[in-house]
Amino acid sequence: AQKITQTQPGMFVQEKEAVTLDCTYDTSDPSYGLFWYKQPSSGEMIFLIYQGSYDQQNATEGRYSLNFQKARKSANLVISASQLGDSAMYFCAMREGGYSTLTFGKGTMLLVSP
Amino acid sequence: DGGITQSPKYLFRKEGQNVTLSCEQNLNHDAMYWYRQDPGQGLRLIYYSQIVNDFQKGDIAEGYSVSREKKESFPLTVTSAQKNPTAFYLCASSLAKSSYNSPLHFGNGTRLTVT
């Protein structure tokens, strides 16, 4: 079974609108962390936001926020006021307990139109 | 500025040849990783190392080899045994294992094409 599932291969949004990118995860470990990365067409991976399994509040970083629903095992990324520069691939990833590695989902391509 | 340097950005090789991808970091991170990215597949872990002179296989280690002789360096060799080597390869590093909330920091990647 996949540990990280991103069900939206592609998403379209107009500039200045908000968009939600979905991510569900599967783990039996009570300690885990969830990460979102952005990959522009240049290929670099840019870390956006982190949510820990014990964090009581949803993480926020500027225009990025994480809608963390622990019981549903979902960690959706919300981008407010989309900009043209937000067009990129977005990956959700998880680190479980004592492991150092991240497991990635297959990604969602976001296209922002003027 | 601290960061991760992968070289070269593009690499072309003939089938049957081994090729080594370079990865150097000056972030003083203990752990380093190699991921492979194919279209529609996301990132898959090849090898990782949490300390000098030690490394572990990831999910798709067959046909690859690594070494970790220095903390700063984690080169990846794609051997002729790797059946489908053409891909985008990403190197990453992070703080020690105990810092489970620390993100991975990535290099800019090497795009390998084998013909």
Side-chain angles (χ1 to χ4, degrees), chain A residues 35-108:
Chain A
F35 302 79
W36 276 92
Y37 283 84
K38 171 184 178 182
Q39 186 180 45
S41 57
S42 56
E44 62 192 298
M45 293 285 285
I46 302 167
F47 166 66
L48 296 177
I49 195 167
Y50 165 82
Q51 180 85 43
S53 58
Y54 297 114
D55 293 343
Q56 294 297 313
Q57 292 189 325
N58 287 343
T60 60
E61 288 287 348
R63 294 186 299 111
Y64 304 108
S65 61
L66 211 153
N67 184 0
F68 181 48
Q69 298 187 43
K70 197 169 180 177
R72 294 187 176 186
K73 293 189 175 179
S74 75
N76 299 338
L77 178 70
V78 180
I79 305 175
S80 63
S82 298
Q83 301 172 356
L84 296 178
D86 293 335
S87 294
M89 279 291 287
Y90 288 81
F91 291 97
C92 179
M94 177 173 65
R95 173 184 279 135
E96 296 172 274
Y99 296 97
S100 69
T101 61
L102 293 192
T103 301
F104 286 81
K106 294 187 176 184
T108 296

Side-chain angles (χ1 to χ4, degrees), chain B residues 6-26:
Chain B
Q6 289 188 245
S7 60
K9 187 171 183 178
Y10 298 96
L11 193 53
F12 298 89
R13 280 293 182 270
K14 294 286 188 185
E15 198 173 318
Q17 293 179 335
N18 291 356
V19 59
T20 297
L21 281 59
S22 169
C23 178
E24 304 276 334
Q25 56 101 357
N26 60 5

Side-chain angles (χ1 to χ4, degrees), chain A residues 37 39 50 95 98 100 102, chain B residues 33 35 37 97 100 102 104:
Chain A
Y37 283 84
Q39 186 180 45
Y50 165 82
R95 173 184 279 135
S100 69
L102 293 192
Chain B
Y33 314 79
Y35 285 87
Q37 185 177 15
K97 175 182 172 181
Y100 78 96
S102 68
L104 266 58

